[in-house]
Amino acid sequence: MAAVQTSGERALNRLAIVAVLVITMIFLAPIYWIVATSFKPRNLATTIPPTVVFTPEISPFVKLMTKRSQLREQPTPEEYAAAPWWERMVFDGGEKVVRDGKDQVQWSAYPSRFLNSLIIAVTSTVLAVGMGTFTAYGFSRFKVKGEGDLLFFILSTRMLPPVVVAIPMFLMYRIVGLTDTHIGLIILYTAFNLSFSVWLMKGFIDEIPKEYEEAALVDGYTRMQAFFKIVLPEAATGIAATAVFCFITAWNEYAFALMMTNRRAQTAPPFIPSQVGSGLPDWTVIAAGTFLFLLPVAFFTFLLRNHLLRGMSFGAIRK
């Protein structure tokens, strides 16, 4: 028989619901503001009071993807009519799209920076989660001399913020020729995420009964076959949760990317603020770049959403 709630309990439940809604709105407000600004005309981006109701347009995304310069004179009606529809949006903002000697549109560096972020974040996440899973399995299933000290040493790599070791790493990278390279950032991000991956995956693997593997070994499986066919499927939830956190860390990392890269391997986080430039900044372009930058993380987290809640509780680290 269901317990009957008192008026006080009902009031507390309503208060809890209101608190959750308020906290959710507080956290979502910056996201809404970024998305709204990325679709605003430039003249509405910094109005006081803020403009909430407006006609959305995609001119900020057009400006983000192209190189532009200020118009010295307005285009003639013939030039305006002959321009593509998306270029007319740039004209309307008092700018023009830069073209080369062959009248080809000069695209901005944002697509290449976005691709660099994708390559580096995905590769470092795969390496960190893969090596972390193997390492965690070894610590979980075998007697390792000095296990506690080794685990503490692995964890100690996360005790300093990246900016503290950025300068020594930059000097070392410059000597070995890894500055402004994809492999250099992949190594850094993998090493930075590896300790987190090891500790989190060890908690997941500790929860998997050893009897499953022992039964597989009795049936003739090798240790590696038992690992791939028994342990990995059972740890899939933990692997997914670990991958999400490692990907988010690598995707959003700023300090190393700012100091270790310049052009060739530069990622999106240090590139987006550089669009402020001098004079009056175009906040709609910066918001458009930020909005596009949010999409891969949101999509990846959405795909693995069913694993996150169970993964957070299933892999609780305990001594």
Side-chain angles (χ1 to χ4, degrees):
M1 185 175 178
V4 178
Q5 287 186 331
T6 63
S7 59
E9 291 174 338
R10 288 194 296 270
L12 286 176
N13 288 339
R14 295 191 185 98
L15 184 61
I17 293 173
V18 171
V20 169
L21 291 176
V22 170
I23 293 173
T24 302
M25 291 177 63
I26 292 174
F27 277 97
L28 291 181
I31 306 299
Y32 163 77
W33 202 255
I34 289 173
V35 176
T37 305
S38 66
F39 288 96
K40 283 182 179 180
R42 182 175 181 175
N43 62 333
L44 297 181
T46 56
T47 56
I48 299 175
T51 303
V52 178
V53 180
F54 59 92
T55 301
E57 57 181 50
I58 63 171
S59 58
F61 297 93
V62 175
K63 296 177 182 179
L64 176 69
M65 296 298 177
T66 57
K67 292 183 178 179
R68 296 159 287 117
S69 63
Q70 293 293 325
L71 276 175
R72 295 184 178 179
E73 57 184 18
Q74 292 297 323
T76 63
E78 293 77 13
E79 291 175 337
Y80 187 88
W85 62 270
W86 51 267
E87 192 169 354
R88 296 173 196 167
M89 296 180 179
V90 181
F91 282 146
D92 294 339
E95 297 176 307
K96 64 178 181 178
V97 175
V98 176
R99 296 177 179 270
D100 59 15
K102 299 180 180 180
D103 201 34
Q104 297 294 319
V105 174
Q106 295 292 295
W107 302 103
S108 74
Y110 183 81
S112 64
R113 302 304 193 264
F114 188 91
L115 182 61
N116 287 340
S117 291
L118 201 59
I119 293 172
I120 292 169
V122 170
T123 306
S124 63
T125 298
V126 171
L127 292 175
V129 174
M131 290 189 290
T133 302
F134 278 105
T135 305
Y137 179 76
F139 280 118
S140 178
R141 291 296 187 261
F142 302 103
K143 296 293 182 180
V144 180
K145 187 176 181 179
E147 175 182 338
D149 294 334
L150 290 174
L151 286 172
F152 178 79
F153 174 76
I154 293 173
L155 184 63
S156 67
T157 60
R158 294 294 294 262
M159 293 181 181
L160 291 176
V163 69
V164 175
V165 296
I167 294 178
M169 291 302 300
F170 173 77
L171 297 176
M172 289 188 290
Y173 267 43
R174 188 174 61 178
I175 293 173
V176 299
L178 286 178
T179 55
D180 202 21
T181 61
H182 292 80
I183 187 65
L185 278 186
I186 289 172
I187 292 172
L188 271 176
Y189 292 174
T190 301
F192 192 70
N193 275 328
L194 189 57
S195 58
F196 178 80
S197 177
V198 170
W199 274 79
L200 200 57
M201 286 306 304
K202 185 178 183 302
F204 292 132
I205 295 176
D206 285 344
E207 293 287 337
I208 301 174
K210 296 181 180 179
E211 288 76 14
Y212 293 172
E213 297 165 75
E214 293 171 354
L217 294 175
V218 171
D219 289 341
Y221 283 18
T222 64
R223 174 65 70 173
M224 290 302 294
Q225 288 175 329
F227 173 76
F228 282 107
K229 295 184 178 181
I230 304 298
V231 177
L232 280 188
E234 292 291 327
T237 296
I239 292 173
T242 305
V244 168
F245 292 115
C246 288
F247 182 78
I248 291 175
T249 300
W251 185 256
N252 294 330
E253 203 282 324
Y254 179 80
F256 285 137
L258 179 65
M259 297 195 64
M260 300 294 183
T261 62
N262 183 23
R263 294 180 60 185
R264 182 174 53 184
Q266 188 182 48
T267 55
F271 175 78
I272 293 175
S274 70
Q275 299 307 293
V276 174
S278 59
L280 184 63
D282 191 344
W283 294 110
T284 61
V285 176
I286 298 172
T290 305
F291 171 59
L292 292 179
F293 186 70
L294 291 174
L295 293 180
V297 171
F299 181 70
F300 184 58
T301 306
F302 178 79
L303 287 180
L304 300 179
R305 66 191 184 283
N306 293 330
H307 299 284
L308 289 180
L309 183 59
R310 182 171 179 264
M312 289 298 294
S313 59
F314 178 69
I317 300 172
R318 64 179 188 274
K319 188 66 179 176

